[in-house]
Amino acid sequence: MTKFDITYLPTKVGKGTIEVNGYLLHSKYDPIKEAQRIVEKELNEECFTVIFGLGKGYILDQLINKKYNPKKLVIIEPISEVEDIIDSKGFTIIKNKNEKEVKQAVESLLTYFSREVQVISLPNYEKVCIEEYKQLLQIVKDIQLLNVVNDNAVRGQSHFWQENEIKNTLYAYCGNTLSELEKAYEIPVIVASGGPSLIKQLPLLKEVRSKVILIAAGSTIITLQNEGIIPDYIASIDGNKGNYERHFKDNNYGKAQLFYSFSNYYEIQKNFSNPSYGFIDYNVVDLAEQLKERYELKSLPRIEGGGSVANYALSIARYISSGPIALIGQDLAFTDNQTHAKYNIGAQEVTKELLESRGAIKIEGFYGDRVFTDYSLISMKKSFERIIQTIESAEIIYNCTEGGAKIIGMNQLSFNEFCSKFIPVSIKKKIIMPLERQCDLNFLVNVYIKEIKRYKDMLIDIKTALRYLNTVKKQGYFSQENLGKLDKIDKSIKVKQNFLLMKTIAEPVVMDIMLKYQSKSNETEKDIFERVFSQNEELYTRLLYITEQSKNFTEEALMEARVRLEENKNE
C-alpha cells in the first residue's frame, strides 16, 4: 500500500489543490479550466470511461455541467486520505477499496461496454499511485477481454439458442427432465473434461470405472471412446449443428444417457436413442416461468453453469449425487503445449503463433507454477470459482486434473489419492433408468398454434410501426400523434413478446440498439431527431427479422409434433 504525504494548497481560482508526495493533483493556477480541458478533449462519449483520481472534485463539477451520462463513467479515488466528496450527483465513485473490491465494482459497471473502454488518469495520479494504476489497467483489460468473450458467445449463438429453445420444448415435453435424478446417487462422481491432462488419468479411471458415476463433458466423449471407456452420462449444451455432426451423429455411445440444456442443438435430442434429461440454465428465470406456465414443463431444474459444458457438468454431478466429486482433464490451460486431450477433434499443438492469436497470458497453475491460458479459458475458470462458492458440500469436490490452471477455492488432490480415499471396493453401482412417460401431443400442438398466432400478431404491430416511421421521416419531426401511436405499438409488442420464447434472441438486439444510440451532450434538435429516428428504425427492422425467424422455428416444431402424433396413431 502506497504511503502518502498530503498537503492542501490554495489556488488562484477554485477551492485549492492537493500536493501528494511532491506532486500536484490539480493545477495551482486554474484547476477549473484544467478539468474543463480534460472533459472536452480527453473524454470520448462513445466509450465507457474509467477516471483514475478525483481529488477536490473539479472533474465531477465539469461532468455535471456537461450533463455527462453517469451510467457511462466511474471514478476511482485511490487515496483514501483525500477528503470525501459529499454529493456525487449520481456518478459512481469508488474510494478506499482494495484490489478485489475495485475489480468487483468495475466488473459490474463494465458489463455492456466491453469493446469501448478508456482509462484516464487525472494529472499525476499515475505517478503518485503507480501500483494502484497498474492494477486498475490490468483489471479493466481482464474484464474487457472476458466480456468480449461472453459477448461474442451471446451474439454468435443467439440465433441457434433461439431455435433450440423452441424446438427442445417437444423433446422435453415428451422426454425426461433432470429433476428425476435429483440426489438419486450417493456414490462418487467423476467429471471428465477434454484438457490435455485427461490422458494420464485414464488408466486409473478404467480401474475404478465400475464403482463411480462417470460424466463426460461434451466432446470428451470422443477421447473416452477411443480409450475404450463409455461414460454413464454425457453432458451437452452446444447449440451448433457442428457439435451434433462431430460428436453425436452416427455415434454409438453404448448405454450412455444424455444431460442436455435447452440451448443444446435440438437434433441431438431428436436422434438420441438412450434416455435423455433436460435442464435449463440457472439464469434464465423468464424461460423457466414460460415453460412452466404455457408448456406445463414444471419440473425442469435450473442448473448453474458458465461458458463451458464442464461448468454445468460439475453442477449436475452435485445435483444427482451427494457423494464426492473429482474433476479430471479440467486443465483450463495449454498443458504440455496442447489445447486438448488426444483424439479430441479440436486438439492442436500450441505454437508461438497460436499463443499470440489467442492473446495468451500466464496464470497460477495447479502446482503453483505459471501456465499459459487465454481469456476464453479464464472465463470458464471464473465460472468454476463462482460455482464452488455456492454449491452444496463443496468441501468434497476436488480438482484432480494434476495439471493446467489452479481453480481458486476448489480443493486439490491427486486422482490416485481421490480414488484411494473415496472409492472403496465395496461400492455397488446401479444406473437408474427413467420410467416411460406418456405425453399429450395434442396439447403441445395447440400450444404451438397459439404461439404462431402471437408471432403473426406481433409482426403486424412491427410492420405498422415501420409505416408510421416512414410518415415521420417525411415530416422531419415526431408529432405528438405519431409518438402516441408508436408508444401504443411498443406496449402491444412488449405484451406479446412476454408471452413468447424470444428473450434469448431479442436481448442482444435491444442491448445493441440501446448502446449504439445513447444521447450526447450539446445535441441540437436535428441531432436528437436523427438519433431517435435511426434508433427506432433499426429496432423495428431487426425485431421484424427475429420475429419472422422465431415464428418459422415454431412452425417447424409444430410440423414435427404433428408427425409424431400421426406416428403414434399408426402404432
Side-chain angles (χ1 to χ4, degrees):
M1 182 70 72
T2 306
K3 292 184 179 181
F4 304 108
D5 178 17
I6 300 174
T7 305
Y8 292 89
L9 301 171
T11 55
K12 286 190 175 182
V13 297
K15 48 198 174 186
T17 185
I18 307 171
E19 185 179 80
V20 180
N21 297 352
Y23 290 97
L24 289 174
L25 302 185
H26 308 291
S27 166
K28 64 180 180 180
Y29 299 105
D30 195 340
I32 296 173
K33 191 171 184 180
E34 178 185 60
Q36 286 175 339
R37 180 193 61 76
I38 292 170
V39 171
E40 291 172 5
K41 302 294 184 183
E42 296 189 37
L43 266 66
N44 181 352
E45 290 186 89
E46 301 295 322
C47 298
F48 184 91
T49 301
V50 181
I51 295 179
F52 187 64
L54 177 61
K56 296 190 74 66
Y58 294 108
I59 194 78
L60 185 61
D61 294 338
Q62 295 307 312
L63 291 168
I64 293 164
N65 290 341
K66 196 178 179 184
K67 298 180 181 178
Y68 204 91
N69 184 353
K71 293 180 181 179
K72 294 198 70 174
L73 185 142
V74 61
I75 300 170
I76 311 291
E77 174 52 80
I79 306 175
S80 60
E81 293 85 352
V82 167
E83 61 192 44
D84 291 330
I85 302 297
I86 297 171
D87 187 357
S88 68
K89 301 293 184 182
F91 287 87
T92 300
I93 299 173
I94 301 172
K95 184 180 180 183
N96 193 20
K97 304 287 185 181
N98 60 34
E99 182 182 0
K100 183 179 178 181
E101 290 171 316
V102 170
K103 187 173 185 178
Q104 288 174 343
V106 176
E107 195 168 27
S108 65
L109 293 164
L110 283 183
T111 303
Y112 299 116
F113 299 88
S114 56
R115 286 180 172 80
E116 299 169 340
V117 183
Q118 63 174 177
V119 179
I120 294 173
S121 174
L122 293 194
N124 291 324
Y125 264 91
E126 80 283 6
K127 298 174 183 174
V128 174
C129 305
I130 298 171
E131 291 305 314
E132 290 86 349
Y133 188 57
K134 287 180 181 177
Q135 285 176 359
L136 177 62
L137 292 176
Q138 190 61 51
I139 286 169
V140 171
K141 179 184 176 184
D142 288 347
I143 294 170
Q144 191 176 3
L145 289 171
L146 286 171
N147 281 342
V148 168
V149 169
N150 297 332
D151 189 55
N152 286 341
V154 170
R155 295 178 196 282
Q157 299 293 321
S158 62
H159 168 88
F160 301 109
W161 290 345
Q162 177 73 3
E163 180 176 18
N164 295 326
E165 280 183 4
I166 290 171
K167 293 183 178 178
N168 278 330
T169 54
L170 172 61
Y171 308 113
Y173 182 77
C174 294
N176 308 99
T177 68
L178 186 59
S179 61
E180 296 169 47
L181 293 180
E182 184 176 8
K183 292 296 180 283
Y185 299 102
E186 297 178 349
I187 62 176
V189 180
I190 296 174
V191 177
S193 297
S197 297
L198 176 65
I199 293 296
K200 69 183 178 186
Q201 312 291 23
L202 297 185
L204 182 53
L205 178 61
K206 291 178 182 178
E207 290 182 26
V208 301
R209 178 71 194 87
S210 62
K211 301 181 181 68
V212 299
I213 300 297
L214 176 59
I215 300 176
S219 61
T220 310
I221 178 67
I222 303 300
T223 298
L224 294 175
Q225 283 178 315
N226 274 279
E227 292 288 330
I229 301 172
I230 302 299
D232 298 302
Y233 298 100
I234 307 164
S236 186
I237 64 165
D238 196 326
N240 287 307
K241 186 176 182 179
N243 178 46
Y244 165 65
E245 293 179 336
R246 289 192 299 270
H247 306 124
F248 290 91
K249 188 177 181 180
D250 302 324
N251 190 349
N252 178 12
Y253 357 81
K255 294 182 179 180
Q257 300 180 45
L258 177 70
F259 300 135
Y260 71 93
S261 71
F262 255 65
S263 65
N264 199 48
Y265 186 62
Y266 68 94
E267 283 201 50
I268 294 175
Q269 289 72 259
K270 179 179 179 179
N271 297 299
F272 200 84
S273 55
N274 297 337
S276 58
Y277 303 85
F279 67 90
I280 54 179
D281 185 282
Y282 185 82
N283 295 311
V284 290
V285 180
D286 291 349
L287 177 63
E289 291 301 316
Q290 288 180 316
L291 293 173
K292 183 190 297 184
E293 290 174 11
R294 297 204 308 283
Y295 288 84
E296 294 192 353
L297 288 167
K298 299 175 182 178
S299 60
L300 277 167
R302 290 161 54 210
I303 299 297
E304 284 272 14
S308 164
V309 64
N311 298 139
Y312 292 90
L314 171 59
S315 296
I316 291 169
R318 174 50 68 230
Y319 186 87
I320 67 172
S321 177
S322 58
I325 298 169
L327 303 187
I328 59 174
Q330 196 55 71
D331 291 69
L332 302 167
F334 305 129
T335 308
D336 297 328
N337 291 322
Q338 297 294 318
T339 60
H340 296 80
K342 188 180 178 182
Y343 305 119
N344 190 295
I345 291 171
Q348 297 180 61
E349 183 178 353
V350 175
T351 62
K352 183 180 178 181
E353 290 73 25
L354 185 140
L355 292 175
E356 289 175 355
S357 68
R358 295 201 183 184
I361 61 171
K362 280 193 170 184
I363 61 172
E364 184 182 2
F366 185 95
Y367 295 108
D369 51 345
R370 306 292 290 177
V371 294
F372 273 114
T373 186
D374 65 16
Y375 282 93
S376 176
L377 295 171
I378 290 174
S379 176
M380 300 170 195
K381 174 179 175 293
K382 286 182 174 293
S383 293
F384 277 119
E385 292 167 353
R386 171 178 48 79
I387 291 168
I388 205 68
Q389 294 299 317
T390 59
I391 202 166
E392 181 185 342
S393 303
E395 69 278 2
I396 53 171
I397 297 173
Y398 297 89
N399 180 7
C400 302
T401 298
E402 298 180 78
K406 179 182 177 66
I407 301 174
I408 297 170
M410 188 180 293
N411 293 322
Q412 290 188 177
L413 204 61
S414 73
F415 191 39
N416 186 61
E417 287 177 287
F418 178 89
C419 294
S420 299
K421 185 175 181 179
F422 295 112
I423 309 177
V425 177
S426 59
I427 286 182
K428 293 182 180 180
K429 182 181 79 173
K430 182 180 179 181
I431 294 297
I432 294 167
M433 300 299 291
L435 298 173
E436 287 287 332
R437 289 190 72 246
Q438 297 296 320
C439 62
D440 181 2
L441 279 167
N442 282 306
F443 166 80
L444 196 59
V445 164
N446 288 328
V447 171
Y448 289 144
I449 290 170
K450 289 176 184 176
E451 299 282 90
I452 292 165
K453 172 67 165 57
R454 287 192 182 99
Y455 282 119
K456 289 179 177 178
D457 290 344
M458 188 167 158
L459 286 168
I460 290 171
D461 281 345
I462 296 169
K463 289 174 183 176
T464 302
L466 284 168
R467 284 200 301 273
Y468 286 148
L469 277 181
N470 192 45
T471 301
V472 168
K473 188 175 183 179
K474 292 175 181 175
Q475 292 175 338
Y477 66 94
F478 283 97
S479 67
Q480 287 301 314
E481 181 184 3
N482 280 326
L483 285 171
K485 289 177 180 178
L486 288 170
D487 185 55
K488 186 176 179 180
I489 289 172
D490 283 344
K491 289 176 181 176
S492 178
I493 289 172
K494 189 173 182 180
V495 169
K496 293 181 178 69
Q497 202 172 31
N498 287 338
F499 279 93
L500 293 164
L501 301 182
M502 282 195 70
K503 189 177 179 68
T504 296
I505 200 168
E507 259 193 352
V509 170
V510 174
M511 187 53 61
D512 259 353
I513 292 166
M514 291 297 290
L515 295 179
K516 186 176 178 180
Y517 295 99
Q518 291 194 46
S519 61
K520 300 175 184 177
S521 57
N522 303 319
E523 282 185 318
T524 65
E525 286 189 14
K526 183 182 178 184
D527 292 334
I528 294 170
F529 169 76
E530 289 177 352
R531 173 173 55 80
V532 174
F533 177 84
S534 298
Q535 183 179 40
N536 279 276
E537 184 179 47
E538 183 174 352
L539 174 64
Y540 292 128
T541 301
R542 291 176 67 176
L543 275 179
L544 183 69
Y545 177 70
I546 63 175
T547 305
E548 285 279 11
Q549 279 187 313
S550 302
K551 178 178 74 70
N552 292 341
F553 295 150
T554 310
E555 288 171 341
E556 290 166 6
L558 172 62
M559 288 173 60
E560 180 64 23
R562 282 174 167 162
V563 167
R564 286 197 172 203
L565 189 59
E566 197 60 34
E567 288 173 349
N568 291 347
K569 288 178 182 178
N570 295 331
E571 286 181 355

